[in-house]
Amino acid sequence: MSSGSIAFTAKISGVPELLLNLSAPGGSSSNKSSGIASTMRLPVFHPCVRLSRWKENPGELSFVPPDGRFVLAGYEVDLLPRSTDPDKPPNQTEKLFLPATVDMRTSLGPSGSEFEARLTLNTSFPGAGSSNRPSVRTGLSNTSVPSFSFGGPTSGSSVAPVLEAVVVHIPVPTGVRNVTDLRPSRGDATFISWDRSIEWRVPTKDGATIDGTATLYGSIVGPLENSINIDSENETGPQSRSNLLLGYYDQSSVATLESYQEPSTSQAQAEPDGSEQDAASLKPIARKRNAFKNLMPKSIAVSFNIRGWLPSGIKVDGLVVDVKRSMGLGDGVKPYKGVKYLTVSKKSVERRI
């Protein structure tokens, strides 16, 4: 479930009587309240709202606003498809539209210490006008993809929504000492040691320079003791193990043990074949890859804002000022009315590896 709110700002003299009409997908032209009733869950209202009017006609808010800014209403909405057949994939209308998705590949490179994060942006917002939306040409197949910046005076409106404040978050395990060689194809990426995470900020204003996909490469640096143990493991042999006995046995006993552990002359002269040498050389690499596998990120999430579009589809159909029932407005007063839509997503789109 996602939460939403209606923030209202009233700067008007007198005691105005207002009527706010809301609509949502699922309603008909003759019965718009059915869409609101099925979309808005658990609504709560400011004390100035007349609940009787809402109960009779869901979607109609009749109230006398206080002066200044206040929260008119709050609600919850389920953005997942209402009814889907588990045996069939959802169609295009049933799918939840996500303007930003993320994916990640781990254990890359010779030692398995590198990873790749991928961010895909999509600004084909359902219900938004696309005739005035700029686009850019790619070099492949001469196709056109949406731009991530909508210029003009209507930028950020319901006709031309704006995707902004895109930030990718990649948490890392506690055993990671550092993340180096961060190479984003777009934006800036930093490793925040106190938060144990990577923060990748992707700008979306200069839309002509991005084709919808951005990548980030980086290398994981593990604890010092792990690398020392892996590198020094091959250096530990019978001689070093026997030296550990010097503190518990006399020199003659240790010498006898060493002579017993030494291979015969024929065995010492035998040289291993090529396959044994290859297997021996691959063991340290396999150990390193296995050690770095446990240090790889296990999830990736993205945060973003959208000005001019709501995923729930809730819209303001109109705001009526009842001049006859209002008091103190004055003759011929025509208040300015405006509406803004804002979607805020905080790490709500996540991919787990």
Side-chain angles (χ1 to χ4, degrees):
M1 299 291 287
S2 301
S3 59
S5 61
I6 304 175
F8 199 93
T9 302
K11 295 182 180 180
I12 186 171
S13 59
V15 184
E17 285 280 350
L18 304 182
L19 179 61
L20 182 67
N21 295 312
L22 303 177
S23 65
S28 60
S29 57
S30 59
N31 187 14
K32 294 183 178 181
S33 60
S34 60
I36 284 291
S38 60
T39 302
M40 293 182 64
R41 310 283 183 86
L42 304 175
V44 293
F45 303 100
H46 190 272
C48 68
V49 177
R50 298 182 178 90
L51 296 180
S52 58
R53 183 66 175 268
W54 175 269
K55 292 180 179 179
E56 294 177 1
N57 299 301
E60 295 185 2
L61 292 173
S62 177
F63 60 99
V64 177
D67 191 28
R69 183 180 176 87
F70 64 98
V71 177
L72 180 63
Y75 58 90
E76 291 186 353
V77 58
D78 187 4
L79 299 179
L80 296 179
R82 294 189 179 91
S83 60
T84 57
D85 189 351
D87 298 330
K88 296 181 180 180
N91 55 38
Q92 193 65 27
T93 58
E94 293 175 341
K95 291 181 180 179
L96 174 63
F97 175 77
L98 297 176
T101 56
V102 287
D103 199 0
M104 185 166 54
R105 295 192 303 158
T106 58
S107 300
L108 305 178
S111 60
S113 62
E114 301 179 4
F115 66 91
E116 176 194 20
R118 184 176 295 270
L119 170 68
T120 303
L121 304 180
N122 181 11
T123 56
S124 300
F125 298 100
S130 59
S131 59
N132 296 328
R133 182 179 302 172
S135 61
V136 295
R137 294 280 178 179
T138 65
L140 300 176
S141 303
N142 197 22
T143 58
S144 177
V145 297
S147 168
F148 299 111
S149 177
F150 307 104
T154 59
S155 179
S157 65
S158 58
V159 178
V162 170
L163 177 65
E164 58 185 10
V166 178
V167 182
V168 178
H169 306 269
I170 306 176
V172 297
T174 55
V176 175
R177 182 161 55 95
N178 196 4
V179 180
T180 61
D181 198 19
L182 289 172
R183 306 184 305 276
S185 64
R186 181 173 177 83
D188 300 317
T190 55
F191 173 63
I192 306 175
S193 58
W194 60 267
D195 193 36
R196 314 302 304 170
S197 65
I198 304 168
E199 186 178 90
W200 178 22
R201 295 184 175 273
V202 181
T204 57
K205 292 185 178 180
D206 49 343
T209 62
I210 187 171
D211 60 355
T213 302
T215 56
L216 169 67
Y217 295 91
S219 299
I220 296 294
V221 179
L224 289 174
E225 57 270 15
N226 282 0
S227 59
I228 294 175
N229 291 337
I230 293 174
D231 295 337
S232 62
E233 186 172 354
N234 293 331
E235 300 176 0
T236 305
Q239 182 69 26
S240 60
R241 287 194 298 268
S242 63
N243 292 337
L244 299 176
L245 304 177
L246 292 177
Y248 300 93
Y249 299 94
D250 56 6
Q251 186 70 24
S252 60
S253 300
V254 173
T256 304
L257 177 61
E258 291 179 357
S259 62
Y260 175 77
Q261 290 179 345
E262 289 180 354
S264 62
T265 306
S266 59
Q267 292 177 345
Q269 292 178 353
E271 296 181 357
D273 57 8
S275 60
E276 292 179 355
Q277 290 180 350
D278 295 340
S281 62
L282 289 177
K283 285 183 179 180
I285 299 177
R287 292 192 188 100
K288 282 187 177 182
R289 293 187 67 89
N290 190 31
F292 279 116
K293 184 177 181 180
N294 298 327
L295 298 176
M296 285 290 113
K298 301 299 187 295
S299 65
I300 180 173
V302 59
S303 304
F304 55 87
N305 296 345
I306 306 173
R307 290 190 293 117
W309 182 80
L310 297 180
S312 63
I314 297 176
K315 294 184 178 180
V316 176
D317 278 349
L319 178 61
V320 179
V321 180
D322 193 341
V323 181
K324 294 182 179 180
R325 298 181 57 185
S326 301
M327 295 183 295
L329 290 183
D331 297 335
V333 174
K334 294 182 179 180
Y336 169 79
K337 295 176 289 184
V339 60
K340 295 180 180 180
Y341 302 100
L342 177 63
T343 298
V344 179
S345 173
K346 295 295 183 183
K347 302 181 183 180
S348 59
V349 180
E350 182 182 16
R351 177 68 182 271
R352 298 184 180 181
I353 312 300

